[in-house]
Amino acid sequence: MKLATLRDGSRDGKLVVVRRDGQVHADAGAIAPNLQAALDDWERVAPALEALAAKLESGEIAGSPLDPAMLESPLPRAYEWVDGSAFLNHVILVRKARGAEPPATLTTDPLVYQGGSSRFLAPRDPIPLADESWGLDFESEVAVVLGDVPQGVKAEDAGRYVRLLLLANDVTLRNLIPNELAKGFGFFQSKPATAFSPFAITPDELGDAWKDGRVHLPLHTNYNGALAGDPDAAEMHFSFFQLLEHVAKTRSYTAGTILGSGTVSNADRARGISCLAERRMIETIEQGKPITPFMKIGDTVEIEMRDAEGRNLFGTIAQKVVAL
Amino acid sequence: MKLATLRDGSRDGKLVVVRRDGQVHADAGAIAPNLQAALDDWERVAPALEALAAKLESGEIAGSPLDPAMLESPLPRAYEWVDGSAFLNHVILVRKARGAEPPATLTTDPLVYQGGSSRFLAPRDPIPLADESWGLDFESEVAVVLGDVPQGVKAEDAGRYVRLLLLANDVTLRNLIPNELAKGFGFFQSKPATAFSPFAITPDELGDAWKDGRVHLPLHTNYNGALAGDPDAAEMHFSFFQLLEHVAKTRSYTAGTILGSGTVSNADRARGISCLAERRMIETIEQGKPITPFMKIGDTVEIEMRDAEGRNLFGTIAQKVVAL
């Protein structure tokens, strides 16, 4: 099933079920007021949501037209946003871009950072930018929403804790990163609010494309109306299951925690990019210096993923940069 | 007023108001079901909670005896836990201990890290430890709970966003830090679940001791029954107001975000320590090598803060290390 969150003036929005074609929704408020409440009580709530989704799909319930501008991120705020960096091609290129070496344990020890989670942007929210010199960049990612995860879970058991999948634009301020990382405590100011896709979907919606803790489909990013890249998300070096084992080594997680893949990136240059930092590094390698600037006021980015039949699985993240 | 959260089987617990002597509580469920709900609607809720607290103080309401073992951390889970490191003596000693230099911007640019916030330990919960070789350490801190914070807030306006104060034990796995920081993304596995004090109190409870965004009182830590330190929390180099300006530079925060001071530490060695890493570094300086081991199964730590009259302001964090 596809779930979404309608803007209703409350902090957590209103939970709705969305028809597979993304055109129509049904109010799920009688089952759970919002997505966090549904995740808090998933065993009881999920079957009722599935039943509602089946009625919407069969036409037994007509539903109401869905206005994408009225959608919040599925979780407008979450108790935790943990983002991996599991596409090695991205790690190698971005580190090279800032004159840093990839970590010695690149292929054996996952990179993850703890993101801010108290206020996410909606999928069509503008990205507010106070200063263009901060070097605004998009980062197109896949992410999973977890159930309650006990400490010490192993990768082979991790699949049972994946409740939903969604896409993310992990907005980054590139020019704030070097000074911040030099201090040793990781990202902070360089990671403003992330935006997520309109729909969070259950793994079964992906069919065979959800396999071994990876999504085996290309992720499309348009930058200012032109295709920037469509790398295959299957090239994820550490699967979501391996990332979950890594992050659960020393603590447990509440239902509703979001775990991201990191920027989707393929070694095959023909697949393009999911962030401007990669393009700038490729330009540096090929032409001696970066040509593409970071995002400016008025720039747009669109992120979506389609299945083999061309269906837009998660809806489209569509954001424009505006002056704060 | 003093607020606390009673364990009631729910994820967020039940909000109660606590009498100033910490002995008796009154159910605040008719005002707000839990502390997050109260913070979400603070303008409406706070006056009703204050009125209830006044009745409890005057004896108009008798209240019920408070069992500290029944208390969760005031927010058992939070939308964000941002921890500064604003005591420079701590930064200098701990960096020296792991052979690292303090950052060049030590006195001008605050250090903060994004902590995990989806599951906190209760103030009397044991600290589960899977492996003693990880180097478990306590870190005694002061923290504030914020209201809704807009992006771009300045230090001079930050006071209005401080709703509550509390204490924290920011549990750390010291021996996991070096490899983790070498990867460049900051702490992750090295920061297991944090515990907070039994009571979250409004700033007015501190009287003159809440000044310029700092708490002007000593923070007591007992380790295995002996006083480890009582450094003055007033020696915070960056105030909570300055920390808030720093973290709000590029994003906003939902009510209920917790902002920590970092380990309380004084340059005066006679005031002792609030974490074992400092003691080990002092031993290395004075005796050539660290003598004190990190925490072992069975070890205990107690953290509390008393006012000039000896009243225990936040209740006592009292934890024992147990094998996971």
Side-chain angles (χ1 to χ4, degrees):
Chain A
M1 60 182 162
K2 282 190 208 293
L3 302 176
T5 296
L6 268 187
R7 212 182 285 272
D8 71 347
S10 73
R11 290 173 182 270
D12 299 299
K14 183 165 71 166
L15 181 63
V16 299
V17 169
V18 178
R19 202 169 63 192
R20 194 158 286 131
D21 68 4
Q23 298 301 307
V24 162
H25 74 280
D27 189 336
I31 301 168
N34 55 59
L35 182 55
Q36 181 62 50
L39 291 158
D40 280 347
D41 196 15
W42 191 250
E43 301 302 321
R44 189 188 64 77
V45 163
L49 292 174
E50 292 280 7
L52 180 60
K55 285 181 189 170
L56 194 60
E57 214 57 50
S58 71
E60 187 180 335
I61 293 175
S64 312
L66 187 66
D67 175 2
M70 285 299 291
L71 294 179
E72 296 275 5
S73 280
L75 290 166
R77 55 182 181 175
Y79 287 105
E80 209 145 339
W81 160 226
V82 177
D83 198 10
S85 190
F87 290 87
L88 301 191
N89 189 61
H90 173 76
V91 179
I92 293 165
L93 280 177
V94 170
R95 298 255 169 161
K96 208 177 278 190
R98 54 171 199 260
E101 288 298 310
T105 54
L106 179 71
T107 61
T108 54
D109 188 22
L111 278 167
V112 291
Y113 85 93
Q114 187 88 40
S117 58
S118 79
R119 274 196 188 165
F120 296 131
L121 297 178
R124 305 235 164 173
D125 270 353
I127 302 170
L129 181 59
D131 188 337
E132 282 190 348
S133 76
W134 290 348
L136 183 69
D137 201 356
F138 54 85
E139 296 198 53
S140 312
E141 308 196 0
V142 182
V144 296
V145 179
L146 302 168
D148 288 304
V149 177
Q151 184 177 344
V153 64
K154 296 299 176 194
E156 54 266 35
D157 299 319
R160 75 179 69 167
Y161 303 106
V162 175
R163 297 277 175 270
L164 299 165
L165 291 106
L166 69 180
L167 307 180
N169 180 13
D170 181 46
V171 181
T172 297
L173 299 167
R174 295 284 176 201
N175 295 337
L176 300 187
I177 289 182
N179 283 344
E180 203 149 56
L181 295 198
K183 293 194 291 175
F185 273 28
F187 306 107
F188 200 94
Q189 293 176 332
S190 51
K191 292 286 185 181
T194 300
F196 292 91
S197 54
F199 313 138
I201 70 176
T202 46
D204 60 302
E205 291 288 312
L206 287 169
D208 292 344
W210 174 241
K211 200 164 51 188
D212 302 327
R214 295 174 180 85
V215 178
H216 293 248
L217 286 171
L219 180 63
H220 294 257
T221 301
N222 285 319
Y223 175 48
N224 288 336
L227 181 69
D230 62 350
D232 194 330
E235 199 172 304
M236 198 176 167
H237 179 77
F238 299 105
S239 72
F240 280 110
F241 301 162
Q242 291 169 310
L243 291 179
L244 188 52
E245 173 172 329
H246 180 83
V247 301
K249 179 179 172 182
T250 61
R251 58 189 170 96
S252 62
Y253 295 86
T254 295
T257 293
I258 307 176
L259 176 63
S261 68
T263 306
V264 175
S265 178
N266 288 174
D268 177 2
R269 293 259 166 94
R271 300 306 290 269
I273 52 88
S274 302
C275 73
L276 295 176
E278 286 191 25
R279 179 179 286 174
R280 287 165 55 87
M281 189 58 221
I282 293 166
E283 289 166 348
T284 302
I285 293 167
E286 293 179 349
Q287 302 168 58
K289 62 174 192 211
I291 313 293
T292 306
F294 287 118
M295 296 180 90
K296 302 203 169 300
I297 307 297
D299 280 4
T300 62
V301 60
E302 292 171 5
I303 302 167
E304 64 184 30
M305 179 175 270
R306 292 178 181 270
D307 67 11
E309 286 72 43
R311 287 177 296 216
N312 188 344
L313 291 165
F314 299 93
T316 305
I317 297 175
Q319 300 187 274
K320 183 175 188 167
V321 181
V322 300
L324 180 70
Chain B
M1 59 182 163
K2 284 189 208 292
L3 302 175
T5 295
L6 268 188
R7 213 183 285 271
D8 70 348
S10 73
R11 290 173 182 271
D12 299 300
K14 184 166 69 165
L15 181 64
V16 299
V17 169
V18 178
R19 203 170 62 192
R20 195 158 286 132
D21 68 3
Q23 298 301 306
V24 162
H25 74 280
D27 189 336
I31 301 169
N34 55 60
L35 182 54
Q36 181 62 50
L39 290 158
D40 281 347
D41 196 14
W42 190 250
E43 301 303 321
R44 189 188 64 78
V45 163
L49 292 174
E50 293 280 7
L52 181 59
K55 285 181 188 169
L56 194 60
E57 214 57 48
S58 71
E60 187 179 335
I61 293 175
S64 312
L66 187 65
D67 175 3
M70 285 299 291
L71 293 179
E72 296 276 5
S73 280
L75 290 166
R77 54 182 182 176
Y79 287 106
E80 210 143 341
W81 160 225
V82 177
D83 198 10
S85 189
F87 290 86
L88 301 190
N89 189 60
H90 172 76
V91 180
I92 293 165
L93 279 177
V94 170
R95 297 255 169 162
K96 207 178 277 189
R98 53 172 200 261
E101 287 298 311
T105 54
L106 178 71
T107 61
T108 55
D109 188 22
L111 278 167
V112 292
Y113 85 93
Q114 186 88 38
S117 58
S118 78
R119 275 196 188 164
F120 296 130
L121 297 178
R124 305 235 164 173
D125 269 353
I127 302 171
L129 181 59
D131 188 337
E132 282 188 349
S133 77
W134 290 348
L136 182 70
D137 201 355
F138 54 86
E139 295 197 55
S140 313
E141 307 195 0
V142 182
V144 297
V145 179
L146 301 169
D148 287 305
V149 177
Q151 183 177 342
V153 64
K154 296 298 174 196
E156 53 267 35
D157 299 319
R160 75 179 71 167
Y161 303 107
V162 175
R163 297 277 175 271
L164 300 165
L165 290 107
L166 68 181
L167 307 180
N169 179 12
D170 182 46
V171 180
T172 296
L173 298 167
R174 296 282 176 202
N175 294 338
L176 300 188
I177 290 182
N179 283 342
E180 204 148 55
L181 294 198
K183 295 195 290 175
F185 274 27
F187 306 107
F188 201 94
Q189 293 176 332
S190 50
K191 291 288 185 181
T194 301
F196 292 91
S197 55
F199 313 138
I201 70 175
T202 46
D204 60 301
E205 291 288 312
L206 287 168
D208 292 343
W210 173 241
K211 199 165 49 186
D212 302 327
R214 296 175 180 86
V215 178
H216 294 248
L217 287 170
L219 180 64
H220 294 256
T221 301
N222 285 318
Y223 175 47
N224 287 337
L227 181 69
D230 62 351
D232 194 330
E235 198 172 305
M236 197 174 167
H237 179 77
F238 300 105
S239 72
F240 281 111
F241 301 161
Q242 291 169 309
L243 291 179
L244 188 52
E245 173 172 330
H246 180 83
V247 302
K249 179 179 171 181
T250 62
R251 58 190 171 94
S252 61
Y253 295 85
T254 296
T257 293
I258 307 176
L259 176 62
S261 68
T263 306
V264 175
S265 179
N266 288 173
D268 177 3
R269 293 259 167 94
R271 301 306 290 268
I273 51 89
S274 302
C275 72
L276 295 176
E278 286 190 26
R279 178 179 288 175
R280 287 165 56 88
M281 188 59 221
I282 293 166
E283 289 166 348
T284 302
I285 293 167
E286 293 178 350
Q287 302 168 60
K289 62 175 192 210
I291 313 293
T292 306
F294 287 118
M295 295 181 90
K296 303 204 169 303
I297 308 296
D299 280 4
T300 62
V301 60
E302 292 171 5
I303 302 167
E304 64 185 29
M305 179 175 271
R306 292 178 181 272
D307 67 12
E309 285 73 45
R311 288 177 295 215
N312 188 344
L313 290 166
F314 299 94
T316 305
I317 297 174
Q319 300 187 275
K320 183 175 187 167
V321 182
V322 300
L324 179 70

